[in-house]
Amino acid sequence: MNIKTLITSYIENERLFEILDSLLEQGVITLTDLESEFIESNPLKIIAFINHYKNNGLNLEKMEDAILNYRESKFIIDYAKKCPYANISKCEDAIINGYSEQLIYEFARDVDGANIKKLEKAVTKCKPEVIYLFAKFVKGANVENLENALIKYAKKNGNGSYFAKFAKDVKKANVERLLNAAIKNGDILNELLEFATIPNINIEKIERVILSKYSKEDVIYYVNTIKGISYEEFIDLMIKRSIAKKDTETILNILKLEVYTIYNDIDREMISKLEDALIKIGDIKALIKVQIRYGFINNKKINGYLSRVSGIDDILEELINTTDNNELKRSLIFIYSEIKIIRNTKKINNINDLLRYINAYNELPTCNLVEIISDKEIKRTRNSQI
């Protein structure tokens, strides 16, 4: 049996080295011969060979290069752990420059004497999963540096994954900072759902984002999964909170959810609640905005409130006179007209009265004002006067 066949056979290492020791003593082979043969074998054999002949003048550098060049990542950690003569720094360089990103983290985690700062610097350029694993499992890792790397990666690549895992699992993680970074990173519903499970998290911020960025179906999924309540119960809570905090934005976001739902029928009861909430908050411009944007809003209810607001005439006149958008201007005129009708300070009994009222603006409305007459009839009446 030749040496190569002997080395690659299934003989146990203890028996193999007994045979090789005997051949060396007899002068049949030299240690240099064995080095050349073992270089061609797998790294586990090389590691056993190094440990057996390390004190016999073995060329450790040559054997180490054979292990590093084998390109099987699992062996390099075995070598660094089992061979006291391993050049740890050289192993780290090989891993950083040619092995998988995962191995950088595993080497730092498992090998005593590993240069954590050196490996961490390399990990900051890796994918989110490796950054997260390094921060979670490697003793001595600089959490702030790794957090910075995660945020930087997300900004560059648009990948907001692992923010919540990092915040949840890594000690000393800045949870609020990671939440803000996740919010800025686009479509991250699953991240927000995981953030919502973290104790003492700013749940109001998460819910405001979910209401502003996602569909009604997504919101239903959130409340069923995280809150354990119905969508209607959740919206009632949001309305109460919004009124207490005068949070117009949330009410407008809920209104948008109701408008762009996949369901065919608009929930009129829900819309009425939202109208009432806007009135209670008293955000004048928001009330004007929803009338202009949504045709099914109860204009009479809202304008009835606006008609009693101090300074509303000045607000509307300023908006009418400063906008360059004709569609917007027409809608504002309608609102102003209805408020005057409610106050009985401007009587409009027919389409001619209405035309005279808006004649100064040289524009006709495109939506229903007080249900006096349809838009088509308004245009037809005007044309007949020309």
Side-chain angles (χ1 to χ4, degrees):
M1 181 182 290
N2 63 35
I3 300 301
K4 184 184 291 292
T5 303
L6 184 64
I7 292 172
T8 56
S9 68
Y10 291 100
I11 300 174
E12 292 185 0
N13 286 340
E14 185 177 354
R15 177 58 182 155
L16 172 63
F17 290 123
E18 285 180 4
I19 295 171
L20 294 178
D21 288 344
S22 176
L23 294 174
L24 285 169
E25 289 176 6
Q26 296 173 39
V28 175
I29 56 172
T30 66
L31 194 58
T32 302
D33 294 331
L34 289 179
E35 288 175 358
S36 299
E37 296 294 344
F38 270 92
I39 282 174
E40 302 297 325
S41 65
N42 73 62
L44 290 178
K45 289 284 188 182
I46 299 175
I47 292 170
F49 177 69
I50 291 172
N51 283 331
H52 189 78
Y53 292 112
K54 59 183 178 290
N55 297 320
N56 292 54
L58 187 67
N59 187 335
L60 293 173
E61 185 175 357
K62 180 180 178 181
M63 303 312 297
E64 184 171 75
D65 287 342
I67 293 173
L68 299 182
N69 291 331
Y70 195 78
R71 315 313 298 167
E72 283 286 343
S73 60
K74 61 183 180 180
F75 296 120
I76 195 168
I77 293 180
D78 284 339
Y79 169 65
K81 289 172 67 175
K82 295 176 181 179
C83 292
Y85 289 91
N87 185 328
I88 300 299
S89 181
K90 188 175 180 180
C91 291
E92 291 166 346
D93 290 338
I95 290 170
I96 291 169
N97 295 321
Y99 283 78
S100 69
E101 293 182 348
Q102 182 87 6
L103 188 63
I104 303 175
Y105 137 70
E106 291 174 353
F107 195 94
R109 180 194 63 190
D110 297 338
V111 177
D112 291 336
N115 187 330
I116 302 302
K117 287 186 178 180
K118 177 181 178 181
L119 295 170
E120 182 182 289
K121 184 177 180 180
V123 163
T124 59
K125 301 173 184 177
C126 294
K127 293 179 181 178
E129 180 183 7
V130 178
I131 296 171
Y132 157 73
L133 290 171
F134 199 99
K136 181 178 179 181
F137 292 111
V138 176
K139 292 181 180 179
N142 187 314
V143 172
E144 185 177 359
N145 284 347
L146 294 164
E147 200 172 277
N148 291 337
L150 193 65
I151 294 171
K152 184 177 180 180
Y153 184 94
K155 287 180 179 178
K156 182 179 179 181
N157 299 284
N159 184 339
S161 62
Y162 286 91
F163 280 130
K165 283 184 177 295
F166 198 107
K168 193 174 184 178
D169 298 339
V170 177
K171 293 180 180 179
K172 299 182 180 179
N174 187 328
V175 177
E176 187 71 13
R177 183 183 181 218
L178 288 166
L179 174 58
N180 291 336
I183 290 170
K184 290 179 181 178
N185 198 59
D187 190 12
I188 37 77
L189 180 60
N190 288 334
E191 285 289 307
L192 292 179
L193 293 178
E194 190 163 359
F195 266 111
T197 65
I198 298 175
N200 304 316
I201 193 72
N202 188 341
I203 197 70
E204 288 188 21
K205 177 181 287 189
I206 292 172
E207 290 172 348
R208 282 198 299 271
V209 173
I210 291 174
L211 287 170
S212 68
K213 285 190 174 185
Y214 297 98
S215 68
K216 182 174 180 177
E217 292 65 48
D218 290 328
V219 176
I220 291 172
Y221 179 75
Y222 164 73
V223 297
N224 289 343
T225 304
I226 304 299
K227 307 289 283 189
I229 58 177
S230 69
Y231 171 78
E232 290 73 20
E233 289 172 320
F234 174 69
I235 294 302
D236 283 344
L237 290 173
M238 293 300 98
I239 290 173
K240 289 177 183 177
R241 189 169 76 189
S242 298
I243 292 171
K245 297 192 173 186
K246 295 191 176 298
D247 179 9
T248 304
E249 183 181 354
T250 295
I251 298 297
L252 293 177
N253 286 332
I254 297 171
L255 185 58
K256 184 172 68 175
L257 287 180
E258 292 299 320
V259 174
Y260 296 111
T261 179
I262 64 171
Y263 306 113
N264 293 326
D265 297 328
I266 297 294
D267 186 340
R268 298 290 175 178
E269 184 179 349
M270 179 66 74
I271 297 300
S272 181
K273 288 181 181 180
L274 295 169
E275 292 166 352
D276 291 340
L278 287 172
I279 288 171
K280 287 178 182 178
I281 293 171
D283 188 325
I284 306 304
K285 291 188 177 180
L287 287 164
I288 294 170
K289 182 189 294 184
V290 297
Q291 288 196 81
I292 292 170
R293 182 173 294 176
Y294 305 118
F296 53 79
I297 289 294
N298 188 334
N299 293 331
K300 290 183 178 180
K301 181 202 295 186
I302 294 177
N303 285 333
Y305 166 76
L306 291 177
S307 69
R308 301 187 298 274
V309 172
S310 175
I312 187 62
D313 296 64
D314 293 337
I315 293 172
L316 283 167
E317 286 175 7
E318 180 183 357
L319 290 172
I320 291 168
N321 292 320
T322 56
T323 181
D324 293 326
N325 185 310
N326 287 333
E327 290 291 329
L328 176 58
K329 182 175 287 189
R330 285 195 292 267
S331 299
L332 289 167
I333 293 168
F334 270 138
I335 295 171
Y336 198 12
S337 299
E338 186 165 291
I339 287 174
K340 287 182 174 292
I341 291 169
I342 291 170
R343 291 176 181 158
N344 292 318
T345 59
K346 186 74 175 180
K347 191 172 183 180
I348 298 179
N349 293 320
N350 54 52
I351 190 62
N352 291 325
D353 288 340
L354 176 60
L355 288 171
R356 280 194 295 274
Y357 179 74
I358 64 175
N359 188 52
Y361 299 101
N362 199 32
E363 290 291 343
L364 282 173
T366 58
C367 58
N368 189 5
L369 172 58
V370 287
E371 299 177 355
I372 295 173
I373 201 162
S374 70
D375 178 53
K376 288 183 179 178
E377 190 168 345
I378 289 174
K379 290 181 178 178
R380 187 166 57 251
T381 304
R382 189 187 190 194
N383 291 337
S384 68
Q385 292 180 334
I386 296 174

